[in-house]
Amino acid sequence: MRIWQKPISVALLSESHHDTAPAHLGMEFLEVGDDFIRARVPVDHRTRQPHGILHGGVSVVLAETLGSCGAHYSCPEGFRAVGLDINANHIKAASSGWVTGITRAVHIGRSTQVWQIEMHNDAGELTCVSRITMAVLSPR
């Protein structure tokens, strides 16, 4: 079932994030399906912490970007979605390659949304699971 209420595409997502934190980290949008968005972030000099592994905060940036995009594009035209809470469970470190995240809605309501984001390394191993709760705001 298609959940998007606004036009959405990889090109639109990429353009809307030009010159933002996700872009500076090298994040790339990869795919939009009927009920999911997929993006990835490189594990490189921009995104590693001093011990040579992907910084946990970068995983959270990927999660928040994916969940926020999902919420925005699944809201009716004129409505906005803003973050209320995010959590992340870091499961396996990544020291090179890419970490790819996919987000899917857990709940899409009139005033709140909940999105789950799963992240995997290039070997397909789960590196992080995150959940974001979004508030849906009426037009001003």
Side-chain angles (χ1 to χ4, degrees):
M1 177 174 103
R2 186 166 168 82
I3 62 172
W4 312 123
Q5 297 197 37
K6 298 172 183 158
I8 184 173
S9 68
V10 168
L12 285 171
L13 290 165
S14 298
E15 177 57 33
S16 69
H17 285 82
H18 176 73
D19 210 22
T20 64
H24 290 294
L25 293 172
M27 191 178 303
E28 299 177 355
F29 289 94
L30 301 173
E31 183 181 8
V32 175
D34 287 344
D35 66 348
F36 71 90
I37 302 170
R38 187 184 325 269
R40 68 183 186 168
V41 68
V43 182
D44 65 14
H45 67 280
R46 296 169 289 183
T47 60
R48 284 189 196 106
Q49 46 104 305
H51 297 290
I53 60 175
L54 184 67
H55 192 292
V58 174
S59 294
V60 175
V61 171
L62 177 58
E64 181 137 4
T65 301
L66 283 166
S68 294
C69 288
H72 172 75
Y73 287 95
S74 64
C75 284
E77 198 62 54
F79 284 71
R80 298 178 300 135
V82 296
L84 287 176
D85 182 66
I86 189 166
N87 69 56
N89 296 105
H90 304 290
I91 296 167
K92 185 174 182 74
S95 58
S96 64
W98 293 84
V99 168
T100 301
I102 185 168
T103 190
R104 285 192 166 88
V106 174
H107 166 74
I108 298 177
R110 284 180 294 136
S111 61
T112 62
Q113 294 187 13
V114 178
W115 290 78
Q116 180 157 309
I117 304 91
E118 292 186 359
M119 290 159 255
H120 294 84
N121 63 20
D122 289 336
E125 299 166 317
L126 188 64
T127 61
C128 184
V129 176
S130 182
R131 191 170 274 205
I132 187 169
T133 302
M134 305 291 293
V136 178
L137 305 179
S138 302
R140 296 180 198 196

